[in-house]
Amino acid sequence: MFKKILIANRGEIARRVIKTARRMGIQTVAVYSDADARAPFVLDADEAVHIGPSPAAQSYLIAEKIIEACKATGAEAVHPGYGFLSERTSFAEALAAEGIAFIGPPVNAIAAMGDKIESKKLAKEAGVNVVPGFVGEIEDTEHAVRISDEIGYPVMMKASAGGGGKGMRLAYDEKDVREGFEAVKREGLNSFGDDRVFIEKFILNPRHIEIQILGDQHGNVLYLNERECSIQRRHQKVVEEAPSPFVTPKMRKAMGEQCVALSKAVGYYSAGTVELIVSGADPSGESFYFLEMNTRLQVEHPVTEAITGIDLVEQMIRVAYGEKLSITQEDVKIDGWAIENRVYAEDPYRGFLPSTGRLTSYKPPVEGWTDDGAENGRRGVDGVRVDDGVYDGGEVSMFYDPMIAKLITWGKTRDEAADKQIAALDRFELEGLGHNIDFVSAIMQHPRFRSGELTTGFIAEEYPDGFHGASASEDLIRKLCAVAGVVATVNSERARYVDGQLGDNLPAIRAWQVSIDQQKHDVVVHNGTITVDGTAMELDTDYVPGARMVLAKADGEYLAVKIAKSGSGFKMTTRGASHSVSCLPAHVAHLSAHMIEKIPPDLSKYLICPMPGLITAVHVEAGDKVEAGQPLAIVEAMKMENILRAEKSGTVKLVNAKAGDSLAVDAIILEME
């Protein structure tokens, strides 16, 4: 077995590989950029080598620096993780030339499957169903329009070398093609160094289902069941689960065998994933089509590990060393259900805009996954596992992907796994930047998610006007009122004994007017009893002044409620929503009606930068007349282009930014008359 391996990646996946390598008795080498000098994965590794400045193009994407680090440390093999160099044939070839093993598939398989155009041709030749589309060279925008008209709308335009949701645009008509084709080319060139684009038919009511493949260098290839990854935003996965609630044993066998046949056709070994698009309108499950093959480990691999008990990273290392698989297809089982939610640095309350900055508080619901080698160890602690690459006080950089952590839960049933997600998300403390914890919790509670009726349009269909928090039942509001009343009472008791107050000690306050989301409720806390609007409630809490998390048992239901000071009140967050709360002593609450309301300023005449980012284009000048919906500027952030459009018609008065400017969030780009 290898004695030392280098991980050519960063963040949570670097930590993930290090943990399994340590259990296998293999020493590890980390490589890091300036931005990651203090990152946890650097400290986890046995050795660490600095490879350059923060931008990935100057550090993690330079193969020569990775090879130099291998030579300097004596690393015998490289695990590429996902992203960066993981699917770059030139990198695998360069390693082979230096006698360094690549912990991944053979070069010819990466080349065949990594190019979306060529992979579709190969899949078709292998008898795999493929989506109707054009897989040749597209000359220009006019050619793209003609192709799209022939295929029939809607169509999907994709960068040939793309991945991770980058370089993709959905077009419903000719106008969308004309507007999006060049953007797809640019994103493909900027992210992958390849501006080729292909166009295919977009399947209505589609489900995204993928098959996990595992093969060795001796011709053995297995499928490790499927994952449902239909819940996506901007073509990036948000929720993944295994198995799929849609797939039957017959479908699983048909999909798996086709994917194995495709893998064998290209001589595949190591871990890989064949992505399929499945028509949710066809209950027979026969309408599934090849999308692409990812010749690497997937972000969502832990859900497969949780239901099969197979450590995919360990298997990749053993296969790269030349070992035969120790399992057969008959050994691959499905035990329970697993769900993974990706915790992203993005603000769902502001249209999912990327959010960067320092994590002023980071406390996951359980300690990070340790890989102790136990039989069910890949399921974490009591079915809750956290894979992360950040730390309390650390920074989420603008240079890399916005994923903060992955939360994986396992249960005997799908509902149990989802319930564990909700409870764990409530206990996830994350402050300092915007995040999507409320949003993924809301999905876990959504009736449509619980029914299993999923499509890739789930988020757009269920949240057409954006996300405003999960709806709270009257019962939950009542329990939050009780918790707020206890918090207010405990804080007031503490305030009574602060030195230097005028007059005698303050009287104890037991009656409160609690306003939650501007709805008023009467709460009385006295002699161990609590009433909300006159109705008694049983409540046990552990709250002490200054605590940011309240664990409570209200009428038999366990709640974890995050509390943060906000102006004269505070914010309570639980069950997928944040609630504005104020607690006024009942005897003075009526006076609040005389307070002057603060009117927020009118910002409608400004185009404001919605996130920290780079201005790549400004389409208008002072004096130009614009119409509602017209593109005004493009901001690039987290490796994605974001088109900013006019909210209403008007005339441009002043332009404050130009292409090449780096702007902070809420910076004014231009002003309208």
Side-chain angles (χ1 to χ4, degrees):
M1 180 48 63
F2 300 120
K3 293 182 173 58
K4 183 184 291 187
I5 65 173
L6 181 145
I7 298 94
N9 217 295
R10 62 178 299 280
E12 62 87 14
I13 185 56
R15 301 189 81 189
R16 162 73 184 89
V17 176
I18 289 169
K19 288 168 185 174
T20 288
R22 179 179 293 126
R23 176 171 55 79
M24 295 175 69
I26 301 170
Q27 289 189 308
T28 56
V29 180
V31 292
Y32 65 93
S33 69
D34 290 346
D36 286 331
R38 299 179 181 178
F41 77 92
V42 176
L43 300 176
D44 289 349
D46 296 299
E47 299 175 65
V49 179
H50 177 252
I51 55 170
S54 299
Q58 300 174 42
S59 51
Y60 296 107
L61 287 172
I62 300 180
E64 292 78 8
K65 291 189 175 183
I66 305 298
I67 292 172
E68 287 172 10
C70 288
K71 291 179 177 179
T73 59
E76 305 161 79
V78 171
H79 195 302
Y82 36 72
F84 293 148
L85 299 171
S86 62
E87 294 177 283
R88 190 167 293 184
T89 54
S90 59
F91 178 56
E93 289 171 338
L95 289 174
E98 297 291 343
I100 302 168
F102 179 68
I103 302 176
V107 170
N108 63 298
I110 299 174
M113 294 290 99
D115 186 312
K116 289 186 173 66
I117 293 174
E118 291 303 316
S119 67
K120 286 190 179 297
K121 291 178 181 177
L122 286 167
K124 196 170 184 178
E125 291 171 3
V128 179
N129 298 335
V130 297
V131 179
F134 185 85
V135 294
E137 293 289 336
I138 300 175
E139 300 165 6
D140 52 26
T141 300
E142 293 302 324
H143 190 196
V145 169
R146 291 197 302 273
I147 291 168
S148 301
D149 289 342
E150 290 172 7
I151 294 172
Y153 296 99
V155 298
M156 180 67 79
M157 298 177 288
K158 294 184 181 180
S160 176
K166 310 287 190 305
M168 300 173 70
R169 289 288 190 283
L170 180 59
Y172 285 95
D173 51 34
E174 179 181 327
K175 179 184 174 215
D176 289 344
V177 176
R178 292 187 181 280
E179 188 174 284
F181 180 72
E182 290 299 328
V184 173
K185 289 189 69 174
R186 284 194 302 271
E187 287 186 4
L189 186 62
N190 292 338
S191 295
F192 311 104
D194 187 341
D195 68 352
R196 290 178 302 155
V197 175
F198 73 93
I199 300 176
E200 66 184 8
K201 178 75 174 175
F202 182 72
I203 305 299
L204 295 173
N205 300 322
R207 299 181 79 114
H208 183 119
I209 295 172
E210 59 190 33
I211 301 293
Q212 176 68 58
I213 291 295
L214 180 64
D216 62 23
Q217 299 185 46
H218 306 276
N220 302 303
V221 182
L222 312 176
Y223 64 91
L224 307 185
N225 306 314
E226 80 286 348
R227 295 185 288 258
E228 172 91 50
C229 307
S230 295
I231 298 182
Q232 305 176 4
R233 194 188 62 75
R234 283 187 172 180
H235 313 296
Q236 286 190 306
K237 301 163 189 174
V238 177
V239 181
E240 299 106 349
E241 58 181 306
S244 163
F246 184 71
V247 173
T248 64
K250 180 182 177 182
M251 290 170 61
R252 182 174 299 117
K253 188 172 186 291
M255 291 176 177
E257 289 178 351
Q258 272 201 24
C259 295
V260 166
L262 175 62
S263 301
K264 287 185 174 181
V266 295
Y268 198 90
Y269 57 78
S270 193
T273 296
V274 179
E275 301 198 345
L276 306 169
I277 188 166
V278 183
S279 173
D282 182 2
S284 73
E286 295 178 0
S287 300
F288 63 88
Y289 307 94
F290 172 80
L291 272 181
E292 62 181 326
M293 185 174 189
N294 292 312
T295 55
R296 54 172 168 78
L297 193 65
Q298 293 278 92
V299 174
E300 58 272 22
H301 74 273
V303 295
T304 295
E305 294 183 328
I307 66 165
T308 64
I310 297 169
D311 185 325
L312 286 169
V313 171
E314 177 181 346
Q315 294 300 319
M316 292 180 75
I317 295 172
R318 293 190 181 281
V319 166
Y321 192 68
E323 294 185 9
K324 284 186 178 181
L325 293 178
S326 60
I327 54 175
T328 66
Q329 192 64 60
E330 289 69 33
D331 296 325
V332 179
K333 307 297 183 185
I334 296 178
D335 181 13
W337 213 288
I339 298 174
E340 174 180 294
N341 275 306
R342 302 188 187 190
V343 178
Y344 279 126
E346 61 183 13
D347 191 345
Y349 294 101
R350 298 186 64 187
F352 298 94
L353 295 175
S355 180
T356 59
R358 192 162 300 284
L359 289 164
T360 56
S361 177
Y362 176 77
K363 295 180 181 177
V366 297
E367 290 297 320
W369 181 64
T370 58
D371 189 9
D372 60 5
E375 182 179 354
N376 295 325
R378 281 168 285 284
R379 295 173 182 170
V381 180
D382 297 326
V384 179
R385 168 177 163 179
V386 173
D387 285 18
D388 60 16
V390 300
Y391 62 98
D392 196 6
E395 189 170 359
V396 175
S397 168
M398 65 179 285
F399 298 106
Y400 313 117
D401 187 88
M403 190 169 69
I404 296 171
K406 303 184 307 196
L407 176 66
I408 304 102
T409 55
W410 177 90
K412 293 180 180 179
T413 65
R414 186 170 184 264
D415 280 342
E416 182 183 344
D419 288 342
K420 285 185 177 181
Q421 279 283 341
I422 297 166
L425 289 164
D426 279 348
R427 300 196 307 274
F428 213 127
E429 291 187 53
L430 205 166
E431 297 175 13
L433 42 69
H435 57 76
N436 68 336
I437 287 177
D438 283 358
F439 179 63
V440 291
S441 177
I443 291 176
M444 295 295 98
Q445 301 170 63
H446 200 289
R448 182 174 161 188
F449 173 80
R450 290 299 182 123
S451 73
E453 297 296 321
L454 310 178
T455 70
T456 55
F458 177 94
I459 291 175
E461 293 160 8
E462 299 302 326
Y463 303 97
D465 301 319
F467 179 69
H468 307 290
S471 59
S473 65
E474 291 184 6
D475 181 62
L476 178 58
I477 291 296
R478 180 170 165 267
K479 290 170 180 174
L480 291 179
C481 284
V483 172
V486 169
V487 169
T489 300
V490 172
N491 287 342
S492 69
E493 280 290 324
R494 182 171 180 267
R496 290 173 63 201
Y497 300 103
V498 174
D499 284 347
Q501 297 182 109
L502 295 174
D504 299 328
N505 286 338
L506 295 172
I509 302 172
R510 304 299 183 191
W512 302 89
Q513 183 185 86
V514 177
S515 296
I516 294 188
D517 300 333
Q518 300 182 337
Q519 297 296 315
K520 295 178 172 59
H521 302 269
D522 296 321
V523 178
V524 178
V525 182
H526 188 58
N527 290 336
T529 62
I530 301 172
T531 62
V532 179
D533 295 329
T535 303
M537 173 182 292
E538 293 183 5
L539 181 72
D540 293 321
T541 77
D542 64 348
Y543 179 74
V544 294
R548 292 185 292 198
M549 174 79 73
V550 179
L551 300 178
K553 185 179 180 183
D555 281 349
E557 179 184 11
Y558 289 96
L559 287 175
V561 184
K562 293 185 276 282
I563 293 184
K565 189 69 177 171
S566 177
S568 59
F570 50 91
K571 181 174 73 173
M572 299 179 71
T573 304
T574 191
R575 295 294 192 267
S578 298
H579 304 273
S580 297
V581 181
S582 70
C583 296
L584 296 174
H587 65 281
V588 299
H590 65 282
L591 298 175
S592 64
H594 301 288
M595 297 295 290
I596 298 174
E597 183 180 359
K598 184 177 181 180
I599 307 296
D602 179 15
L603 300 176
S604 62
K605 66 179 181 177
Y606 298 107
L607 179 67
I608 295 175
C609 190
M611 70 204 84
L614 177 71
I615 297 289
T616 59
V618 177
H619 299 305
V620 295
E621 298 177 351
D624 287 355
K625 294 186 181 298
V626 300
E627 299 296 328
Q630 179 178 332
L632 300 179
I634 297 177
V635 178
E636 183 181 298
M638 297 288 190
K639 300 183 285 186
M640 296 285 285
E641 285 191 355
N642 301 272
I643 300 174
L644 307 184
R645 303 176 184 273
E647 293 186 3
K648 59 184 180 181
S649 301
T651 303
V652 178
K653 179 181 179 181
L654 182 65
V655 177
N656 294 325
K658 64 182 183 302
D661 288 352
S662 292
L663 299 185
V665 64
D666 292 335
I668 295 174
I669 298 173
L670 59 84
E671 180 181 353
M672 307 287 289
E673 289 183 352

